[in-house]
């Protein structure tokens, strides 16, 4: 039994001891079938109550519902409706809540989903005996299997509905349809859509459905999804200018930036075959009907487990239109009575494996049997595939007994079905469709060979001779020979086929299933529940202000269930507003690109940004499209659509903005989002002396905000994680639940971080200097903690002592470094043995890594030390200060020094030079390093998989 426990009274303080009873009920009923509902009107109670169910219920089962702001009588009536709308979306068997302390648990309500939202004085409108149904589909004479199917289905639907046909074609040629049903244009339907109680769309992957893609966005309805993949038709509609950019928009809408980036990489045609592009249709469907469970599996694979849980699977309707006599059919087709005819049905093409059938026929004994014929009933492929197939047929010894009919009439099609002895229906690269041709063969009792591909794999072996999905030519040739020689096997398959079709695919049986599904969706789908709530709110009497309507609308929208992938919001606020191209920005770009290339299962990557001051986060669409190189698509930076279960990852260092967004982030967490932050270091609070005045305060405020609103923090090294846990442990507890802490290491493949290119004008001067003597490279912003002052003084000592070495500094000037910058600019060794490159590209840095003698890392404090890893890729030796984090990253693969005096560093370099010359200095060659893909994977181990290093206790209760 699905139980929803509404704890609003506990939040309000009217039943404060009810929590223990709720926990007992959750234990008794089980985690899978128990949900807890909390109201957003009591935000201060949410974290503690959610924590109280940790370990008892999954986090996703403790839900917060939005209510309109309290105040007027209208808003309170609306709040009651909104609450019931939310509860109804959970499809509970019962809702319970605490009334008071004397009766802690009382059954509050058992919801009738058809009428739940209506005020007591309003009676729900019940459908007429036959509700009015708009049937939107191509119809004959359109050359589409769906058109023929729809014509047959409409006759069955007419037993239950007043059907009207909505078409986008000049004429409907089926006289039986035009005699019984009104035929309406799209323009007419746009004006009268509100008059229909039921709307049904038939969607397939061809241009005859072009008018439906935008129509369903305006007028949602039940979708019969004949093809799971709709990418081909959207590609054609974009190329033809019918729906500009609909393919690119479909890629983003259905599959996000991952598909857009992949499309740029692999090209249009491979992406058409790879991506379904159907989410725009599915999201606006008030119910989905498919013809096989294979489509359910595809939906789970593409959009997340359970997304198709409420879809209905209805067998493809098949009824004989022509009962051709075998002898008469053979006479009409010019076939002899003793001919053994192997036929395959449908348009020819690569995905139909027609060449594989031809090869198997020619390899089998049938090729040399003068009574055996192979007939391809359908239009040949107009391209190279069809030409090659024709050439192979004509060159074969059995050429006179192999035929491609071309397009045939319905009557001739029925004749071939009646006249054939067996059929072969093969397929690869399914688009999620159910093969009508296979069912046509079974309907006529034709012994049929097929490979177990897509939905065909679900047909029982009693009705079909099934080959493996990836069969061999020999297996198919043997199957053909078996059916030719074994009349008993042909009879068994024929009987099994007829039984299957009679029990599952007859028009009357399928028509009843359609009626059951349509009526189920009309009362139980999220669209119908939503519509009931809207109707109920519209019926509230009295004056209402626009702001109250907007508030109620926002609450209903948030409370509506959202099936499918969770959103992983990656904060890139600093990158969007001011990309300083520092090391942190490189990390953000690199991790983000890795996540886009390979999202965690069940997630969609959405970069977002904020301007602070608790303003809503926005989708960073323009920025992200530019980052992945998509120049043609234009998308709006709209406010994010937050759903329970979404994840916010503060990847960018946006300290002031995060501090300003404290209330916004807390609200996001209260409403069911998970909040995580990456912390790069704690230097502003551990070493405030090396930062501008005030940095310690605002960075401390940032860490305080993180401690309050975050579910977890991921540091870029174990050393930083230990420092953070120690620092938080000394601060007052600000939360009920423990704060999780983890760490990950950064990647080092520059090519995966959207590297910048270009060389400075004096690049060759630098390269010549580096090549002329041992050169030591420093990489990083010139700031007080990085050790540049000590290093320059140390090299001045070396130069005075006659040690001929270069110092190459790559990094722009940072804070509190004016004196050193002036000193380097005026230095006598500038561009001789001292080279300062304030803002060079990744291309220039890569060349320096390849030519320098050693990397010098004298920093007095770091979160990771990315240049160490990048140097290790090129086998560049490392001289580093003996910081714990450098020891963690480089281990035995670096030469370490200590001391803050110039002489200490100078002595270390002098000691290193002869070791280097003798080949005895530590080498970085064997130093382990990660790709950015690996790095992002480590980060997701914490964010998605919950693998934590340690926790900071919450406030004791």
């Amino acid at each position: 039994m699905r139980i929803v426990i509404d704890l609003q009274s506990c939040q309000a303080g009217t039943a404060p001891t009810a929590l223990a009873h709720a926990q007992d009920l959750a234990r008794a009923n089980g985690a899978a079938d128990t949900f807890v509902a909390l109201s957003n009107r009591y935000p201060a109670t949410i974290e503690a109550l959610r924590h109280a169910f940790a370990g008892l219920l999954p986090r996703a089962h403790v839900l917060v519902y939005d209510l309109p702001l309290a105040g007027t009588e209208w808003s309170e009536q609306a709040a009651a409706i909104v609450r019931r709308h939310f509860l109804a979306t959970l499809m509970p068997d019962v809702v319970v809540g605490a009334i008071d302390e004397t009766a802690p648990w009382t059954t509050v309500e058992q919801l009738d989903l058809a009428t739940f939202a209506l005020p007591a004085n309003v009676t729900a409108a019940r459908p007429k005996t036959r509700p009015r149904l708009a049937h939107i589909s191509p119809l004959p004479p359109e050359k589409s299997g769906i058109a023929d199917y729809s014509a047959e289905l409409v006759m069955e639907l007419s037993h239950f509905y007043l059907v009207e046909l909505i078409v986008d074609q000049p004429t409907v040629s089926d006289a039986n349809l035009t005699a019984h049903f009104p035929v309406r244009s799209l323009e007419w339907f746009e004006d009268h859509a509100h008059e229909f109680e039921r709307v049904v769309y038939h969607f397939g992957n061809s241009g005859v459905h072009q008018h439906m893609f935008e129509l369903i966005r305006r007028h949602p309805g039940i979708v019969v999804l004949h093809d799971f993949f709709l990418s081909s038709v959207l590609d054609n509609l974009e190329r033809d200018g019918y729906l500009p950019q609909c393919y690119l928009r479909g890629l983003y809408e259905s599959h996000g930036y991952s598909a857009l980036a992949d499309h740029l990489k692999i090209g249009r045609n491979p992406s058409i075959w790879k991506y379904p592009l159907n989410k725009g249709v599915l999201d606006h469907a008030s119910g989905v009907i498919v013809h096989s469970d294979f489509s359910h599996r595809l939906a789970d694979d593409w959009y997340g487990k359970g997304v198709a849980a409420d879809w209905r699977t209805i067998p493809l309707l098949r009824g004989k239109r022509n009962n051709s006599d075998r002898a008469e059919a053979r006479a009409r087709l010019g076939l002899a009575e003793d001919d053994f005819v192997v036929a395959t049905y449908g348009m020819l093409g690569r995905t139909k494996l027609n060449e594989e059938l031809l090869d198997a026929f020619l390899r089998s004994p049938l090729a040399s049997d003068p009574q055996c014929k192979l007939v391809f009933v359908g239009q040949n492929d107009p391209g190279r595939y069809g030409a090659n197939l024709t050439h192979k047929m004509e060159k074969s010894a059995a050429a006179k007994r192999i035929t491609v009919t071309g397009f045939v009439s319905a009557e001739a099609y029925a004749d071939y079905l009646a006249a054939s002895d067996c059929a072969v229906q093969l397929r690869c690269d399914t688009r999620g469709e159910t093969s009508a041709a296979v069912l046509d063969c079974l309907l006529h009792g034709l012994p049929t060979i097929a490979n177990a591909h897509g939905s065909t794999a679900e047909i029982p072996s009693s009705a079909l001779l099934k080959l493996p999905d990836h069969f061999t030519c020999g297996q198919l040739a043997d199957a053909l020979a078996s059916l030719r020689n074994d009349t008993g096997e042909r009879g068994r398959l024929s009987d099994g086929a007829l039984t299957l079709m009679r029990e599952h695919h007859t028009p009357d049986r399928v028509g009843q299933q359609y009626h059951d599904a349509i009526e189920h969706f009309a009362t139980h789908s999220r669209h119908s529940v939503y519509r009931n709530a809207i109707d109920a709110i519209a019926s509230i009497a009295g004056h209402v202000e626009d702001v109250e309507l907007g508030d109620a609308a926002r609450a209903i929208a948030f409370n509506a269930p959202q099936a499918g992938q969770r959103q992983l919001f990656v904060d890139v606020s600093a990158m969007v507003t001011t990309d300083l191209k520092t090391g942190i920005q490189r990390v953000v770009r690199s991790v983000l690109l890795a996540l886009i290339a390979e999202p965690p299962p069940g997630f969609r990557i959405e970069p977002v940004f904020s301007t602070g001051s608790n303003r809503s986060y926005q989708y960073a669409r323009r920025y992200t499209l530019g980052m992945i190189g998509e120049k043609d698509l234009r998308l709006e930076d709209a406010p994010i659509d937050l759903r329970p279960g979404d994840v916010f990852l503060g990847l960018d260092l946006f300290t002031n903005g995060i501090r300003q967004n404290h209330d916004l982030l807390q609200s996001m967490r209260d409403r069911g989002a998970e909040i995580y932050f990456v912390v790069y270091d704690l230097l502003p609070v551990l070493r405030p002396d090396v930062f501008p005045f005030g940095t310690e305060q605002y960075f401390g405020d940032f860490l305080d905000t993180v401690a309050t609103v975050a579910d977890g923090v991921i540091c870029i090294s174990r050393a930083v994680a230990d420092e953070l846990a120690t620092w938080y442990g000394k601060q007052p507890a600000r939360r009920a639940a423990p704060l999780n802490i983890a760490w990950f290491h950064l990647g080092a493949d520059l090519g995966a971080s959207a590297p910048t290119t270009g060389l400075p004008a004096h690049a060759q001067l630098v390269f010549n200097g580096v090549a002329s003597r041992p050169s030591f490279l420093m990489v990083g912003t010139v700031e007080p903690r990085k050790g540049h002052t000590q290093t320059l003084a140390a090299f001045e000592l070396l130069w005075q002592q006659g040690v001929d070495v270069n110092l190459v500094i790559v990094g722009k000037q940072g804070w509190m470094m004016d004196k050193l910058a002036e000193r380097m600019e005026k230095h006598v060794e500038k561009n001789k043995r001292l080279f300062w490159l304030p803002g060079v590209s990744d291309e220039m840095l890569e060349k320096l890594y390849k030519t320098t003698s050693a990397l010098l890392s004298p920093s007095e404090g770091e979160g990771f030390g990315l240049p160490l890893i990048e140097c290790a890729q090129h086998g560049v030796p490392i001289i580093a200060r003996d910081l714990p984090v450098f020891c963690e990253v480089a281990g035995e693969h670096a030469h370490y020094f200590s001391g803050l005096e110039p002489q200490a560093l100078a002595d270390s370099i002098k000691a290193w030079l002869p070791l280097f010359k003798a080949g005895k200095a530590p080498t970085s060659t064997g130093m382990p390093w990660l790709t950015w893909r690996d790095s992002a994977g480590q980060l997701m181990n914490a964010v998605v998989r919950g693998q934590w290093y340690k926790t900071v206790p919450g406030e004791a209760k």
Side-chain angles (χ1 to χ4, degrees):
M1 174 182 289
R2 173 169 286 197
I3 295 178
V4 176
I5 306 171
D6 189 343
L7 283 182
Q8 184 173 187
S9 58
C10 182
Q11 293 179 274
T14 57
T17 65
L19 175 59
H21 296 285
Q23 292 170 321
D24 290 341
L25 183 57
R27 289 188 189 94
N29 195 57
D33 295 317
T34 306
F35 292 78
V36 169
L38 303 174
S39 168
N40 72 321
R41 287 189 173 178
Y42 307 96
T45 66
I46 291 173
E47 181 184 353
L49 287 172
R50 181 178 279 133
H51 180 54
F53 288 91
L56 282 177
L57 298 178
R59 179 187 175 109
H61 283 212
V62 182
L63 299 168
V64 176
Y65 56 89
D66 269 15
L67 291 178
L69 294 175
T72 67
E73 181 179 351
W74 187 95
S75 64
E76 286 307 299
Q77 290 188 59
I81 292 170
V82 169
R83 171 184 167 276
R84 289 171 67 81
H85 165 253
F86 165 76
L87 295 173
T89 63
L90 299 178
M91 301 296 174
D93 295 302
V94 65
V95 179
V96 299
I99 303 301
D100 55 43
E101 292 303 298
T102 61
W105 287 116
T106 302
T107 298
V108 177
E109 53 216 319
Q110 293 185 341
L111 300 177
D112 176 357
L113 299 184
T115 61
F116 78 92
L118 298 177
N121 62 338
V122 178
T123 302
R126 296 298 181 182
K128 306 180 185 70
T129 304
R130 288 197 299 164
R132 196 173 174 194
L133 182 146
H135 187 268
I136 306 173
S137 175
L139 294 168
E142 294 287 354
K143 291 184 178 181
S144 159
I146 295 174
D148 295 333
Y149 175 87
S150 292
E152 193 167 2
L153 176 64
V154 162
M155 303 307 298
E156 300 305 319
L157 294 180
S158 67
H159 300 314
F160 310 101
Y161 302 103
L162 298 173
V163 179
E164 301 188 32
L165 309 177
I166 315 300
V167 297
D168 184 32
Q169 57 191 74
T171 60
V172 173
S173 61
D174 190 321
N176 199 32
L177 295 179
T178 56
H180 290 89
F181 308 106
V183 179
R184 310 293 194 185
S185 68
L186 291 185
E187 294 75 19
W188 182 93
F189 179 70
E190 291 279 12
D191 295 334
H192 297 269
H194 62 282
E195 299 172 5
F196 289 91
E197 291 139 309
R198 310 288 185 259
V199 178
V200 174
Y201 290 87
H202 289 264
F203 270 91
N205 195 25
S206 73
V208 294
H209 305 271
Q210 64 182 15
H211 55 290
M212 301 179 191
F213 287 92
E214 292 301 300
L215 190 66
I216 195 172
R217 295 176 186 270
R218 297 188 294 274
H219 307 291
I222 295 167
V223 167
V224 183
L225 192 65
H226 293 269
D227 297 304
F228 188 83
F229 279 67
L230 301 176
S231 45
S232 294
V233 59
L234 288 175
D235 172 61
N236 289 333
L237 298 185
E238 179 176 287
R239 292 179 185 276
D240 295 343
Y242 183 87
L243 287 177
Q245 293 196 325
C246 67
Y247 185 85
L248 292 177
R249 289 181 178 275
L251 275 174
Y252 171 72
E253 182 177 38
S254 296
H255 313 294
Y257 299 107
S258 303
L260 286 172
D262 195 35
H263 170 249
L264 291 170
K265 179 181 178 182
I266 65 177
R268 177 60 64 95
N269 195 58
S271 76
I272 291 171
W273 284 95
K274 185 173 182 178
Y275 295 104
L277 273 71
N278 60 9
K279 198 166 185 293
V281 170
L282 299 179
D283 283 351
H284 292 85
S286 55
V288 177
I289 295 170
V290 293
H291 300 306
S292 76
D293 290 335
F294 179 62
S295 292
H296 288 254
R297 296 194 294 274
L298 287 173
D300 285 349
D301 290 343
W302 280 104
Y303 302 123
K305 194 73 174 175
V307 69
D310 196 41
W311 291 12
R312 288 294 183 94
T313 300
I314 298 178
L316 199 70
L317 179 151
R318 275 351 242 177
K320 286 186 180 180
R321 288 192 171 188
N322 300 288
N323 292 303
S324 299
D325 176 78
R326 173 183 169 88
E328 293 176 354
R330 287 205 163 204
R332 285 191 292 268
L333 297 174
L335 298 171
E337 179 59 31
D338 57 353
D339 284 341
F340 185 84
V341 179
V342 179
T344 185
Y345 298 86
M347 293 181 63
L348 281 67
R350 181 189 63 82
T351 62
K352 305 294 182 64
L353 301 179
N354 304 116
E355 187 171 8
E356 284 75 0
L357 171 56
L358 176 61
D359 290 342
F361 180 85
L362 294 176
R363 177 173 171 173
S364 75
L366 280 69
S368 57
D369 186 337
Q371 291 182 309
C372 292
K373 295 186 175 182
L374 175 62
V375 182
F376 294 85
V377 183
Q379 188 73 40
N380 197 3
D381 178 86
R384 181 178 298 177
Y385 182 86
N388 291 340
L389 194 65
T390 299
H391 178 74
K392 182 176 285 191
M393 292 176 187
E394 292 173 346
K395 293 294 183 181
S396 72
K400 293 182 179 180
R401 291 182 282 112
I402 302 174
T403 305
V404 177
T405 66
F407 182 82
V408 297
S409 67
E411 292 75 19
Y413 183 82
D415 278 346
Y416 274 108
L417 286 166
S420 298
D421 293 283
C422 72
V424 181
Q425 298 299 139
L426 306 173
R427 193 63 199 264
C428 69
D429 295 331
T430 178
R431 316 306 281 153
E433 75 285 355
T434 294
S435 175
V438 169
L439 297 181
D440 284 337
C441 295
L442 302 184
L443 181 66
H444 286 76
L446 260 181
T448 302
I449 301 169
N451 59 324
H453 183 75
S455 62
T456 303
E458 299 171 11
I459 298 176
S461 298
S462 60
L464 195 67
L465 199 166
K466 265 192 287 191
L467 301 176
D469 187 4
H470 303 289
F471 60 89
T472 65
C473 181
Q475 287 173 317
L476 179 53
D478 290 345
L480 288 169
S482 174
L483 289 189
R484 170 66 171 115
N485 298 324
D486 192 340
T487 56
E489 175 69 359
R490 295 205 303 271
R492 182 189 69 81
L493 289 172
S494 180
D495 291 343
L498 293 172
T499 299
L500 173 73
M501 299 305 292
R502 182 173 60 252
E503 292 181 352
H504 297 283
H505 296 271
T506 57
D508 57 339
R509 184 182 295 270
V510 170
Q512 181 63 57
Q513 291 184 61
Y514 264 95
H515 174 254
D516 294 344
I518 292 169
E519 293 311 299
H520 167 78
F521 291 133
T523 56
H524 288 75
S525 73
R526 59 190 176 92
H527 279 274
S528 63
V529 173
Y530 170 81
R531 187 169 57 249
N532 286 343
I534 296 300
D535 291 343
I537 286 180
S539 70
I540 299 175
H543 177 72
V544 57
E545 299 289 342
D546 288 346
V547 66
E548 292 176 296
L549 283 172
D551 197 32
R554 281 189 295 272
I556 291 174
F558 176 77
N559 293 340
Q562 188 73 19
Q565 292 175 309
R566 300 159 68 187
Q567 297 178 96
L568 177 53
F569 297 121
V570 181
D571 186 7
V572 292
S573 296
M575 298 272 286
V576 169
T577 54
T578 328
D579 186 353
L580 299 177
K581 302 192 184 304
T582 63
I584 289 178
Q585 273 70 54
R586 178 185 294 175
V587 173
V588 174
R589 276 195 307 274
S590 303
V591 171
L592 178 55
L593 285 170
L595 290 175
I596 287 174
E598 193 173 342
F603 281 90
R604 174 189 177 102
I605 306 301
E606 286 289 355
V608 299
F609 72 97
S610 168
T611 55
S613 301
N614 286 311
R615 301 184 186 94
S616 170
Y617 278 89
Q618 309 281 118
Y619 290 107
R621 289 166 176 159
R622 286 193 289 260
Y623 171 82
T624 310
L625 289 173
M627 185 185 68
I628 66 173
E630 175 52 67
K631 299 177 181 178
D632 296 329
L633 184 59
R634 299 290 180 267
L635 296 173
E636 177 188 5
D637 289 346
I640 65 170
D641 181 18
L642 180 73
R643 314 301 310 174
D646 289 341
V647 174
F648 175 91
L649 175 61
L651 181 61
D652 213 347
L653 188 61
F654 187 49
T655 51
N656 282 336
I658 295 301
R659 177 178 57 84
Q660 294 172 19
N661 286 344
H662 177 285
D663 293 346
L664 172 62
L665 290 162
Q666 185 62 57
S667 172
M668 291 166 61
R669 185 162 174 250
D670 287 346
R671 296 169 73 191
E674 298 175 25
I675 308 292
Y676 302 99
F677 288 94
V678 172
V679 169
Y680 292 87
D681 59 61
L682 275 73
L683 292 169
V685 293
L686 300 180
R687 288 290 309 273
D689 56 303
V690 296
F691 290 89
F693 178 77
T695 303
E696 178 184 11
Q697 178 64 47
Y698 77 70
F699 194 80
D701 291 343
F702 160 72
L703 291 178
D704 285 344
T705 299
V706 169
T708 305
V709 305
D711 291 281
V713 180
I714 307 93
C715 303
I716 62 170
S717 65
R718 184 175 56 208
V720 175
D722 289 336
E723 289 174 345
L724 183 65
T726 300
W727 191 84
Y728 274 143
K730 296 176 180 178
Q731 312 303 314
R734 293 173 172 82
R735 52 192 292 129
L739 177 65
N740 296 308
I741 296 178
W743 58 272
F744 73 114
H745 277 179
L746 304 183
D749 46 331
L750 272 174
S753 60
T756 56
T757 57
L759 301 177
H762 66 307
Q764 194 57 52
L765 172 67
V766 177
F767 294 143
N768 291 340
V770 168
S772 65
R773 59 183 66 86
S775 299
F776 296 83
L777 175 66
M778 290 182 69
V779 179
T781 302
V782 179
E783 53 174 285
R785 68 179 169 96
K786 292 287 190 178
H788 292 90
T789 301
Q790 179 191 12
T791 300
L792 180 59
F795 272 78
E796 288 172 338
L797 289 175
L798 292 172
W799 292 329
Q800 290 171 10
Q801 297 167 13
V803 180
D804 191 21
V805 290
N806 289 327
L807 174 60
V808 182
I809 298 173
V810 172
K812 64 182 180 179
Q813 180 182 342
W815 52 88
M816 301 165 60
M817 299 300 285
D818 290 346
K819 289 184 178 179
L820 181 65
E822 182 179 4
R823 184 174 158 196
M824 288 194 293
E825 285 292 345
K826 296 179 178 179
H827 205 285
V828 66
E829 292 289 348
K830 179 184 176 183
N831 291 334
K832 297 176 183 176
R833 292 189 292 188
L834 172 64
F835 301 91
W836 181 24
L837 307 171
V840 299
S841 67
D842 292 324
E843 180 186 3
M844 179 71 177
L845 180 59
E846 186 85 357
K847 290 181 179 294
L848 289 172
Y849 279 147
K850 292 178 179 179
T851 56
T852 194
S853 303
L855 175 75
L856 190 57
S857 292
S859 179
E860 298 171 23
E862 287 290 338
F864 183 72
L866 186 57
L868 277 65
I869 301 294
E870 292 175 344
C871 277
Q873 287 185 281
H874 300 90
V876 177
I878 298 169
I879 301 174
R881 192 181 300 279
D882 56 355
L883 298 178
V885 69
F886 286 165
C887 295
E888 175 187 338
V889 171
E892 63 184 12
H893 299 282
H895 179 89
Y896 296 103
F897 75 95
S898 58
L900 298 174
E901 298 299 321
Q903 190 65 55
L905 179 54
D907 290 345
S908 184
I909 292 173
K910 286 176 67 177
W912 179 85
L913 282 168
L915 292 174
F916 175 65
K917 187 174 182 180
K920 297 181 179 180
T923 64
S924 65
T925 306
M927 182 172 143
W929 58 274
L930 304 178
T931 65
W932 284 111
R933 178 178 180 269
D934 298 330
S935 177
Q938 286 189 353
L939 177 59
M940 291 301 103
N941 283 340
V943 172
V944 173
R945 302 175 188 96
Q947 299 176 11
W948 298 102
Y949 172 51
K950 57 177 60 178
T951 59
V952 178
E955 183 179 358
K957 293 291 184 183

